[in-house]
Amino acid sequence: MANRVPGSGSQTKTGALILGGLALAAAGFAGRYALRYGRVAQEAIRKQMDALPNSAAFANSKYYKGGFDAKISRREAGLVLGVSPAASKAKIKEAHRRIMSLNHPDRGKI
């Protein structure tokens, strides 16, 4: 009997054929699934995208929808803080303190 190395010869070829067949079967099942449910998923995604608010939904928003200058002006500070541009310094400081305390990263931690 000749010296045979395990895993060589016909066993390797058979294993490769089985592995190739399983890969083709998996690709076939994946393709069938994609064709069957791809259109349904595409419709669901399209409906969700249509349900998202567009820029017209924000037309009457209280948030400022413009670009800002390089250096903030009194008018822009009033828009960001939600106070009148003619507000006093004390009112602007109070609005700033309120916004900063609401958005502080340590808020609510013990």
Side-chain angles (χ1 to χ4, degrees), residues 18-94:
I18 291 173
L19 188 62
L22 288 173
L24 283 175
F29 282 120
R32 183 173 69 173
Y33 181 81
L35 287 175
R36 187 176 291 173
Y37 298 107
R39 291 188 184 116
V40 175
Q42 185 179 12
E43 268 311 303
I45 291 171
R46 188 182 322 246
K47 285 180 184 178
Q48 290 296 323
M49 292 297 287
D50 290 341
L52 289 175
N54 55 14
S55 60
F58 295 109
N60 294 325
S61 175
K62 66 178 182 176
Y63 299 109
Y64 181 65
K65 300 176 292 294
F68 292 108
D69 297 330
K71 184 172 180 186
I72 193 165
S73 67
R74 194 169 178 86
R75 179 185 149 274
E76 289 175 343
L79 289 169
V80 169
L81 297 173
V83 296
S84 168
S88 66
K89 281 189 176 184
K91 194 165 191 168
I92 290 175
K93 281 185 179 182
E94 177 55 37

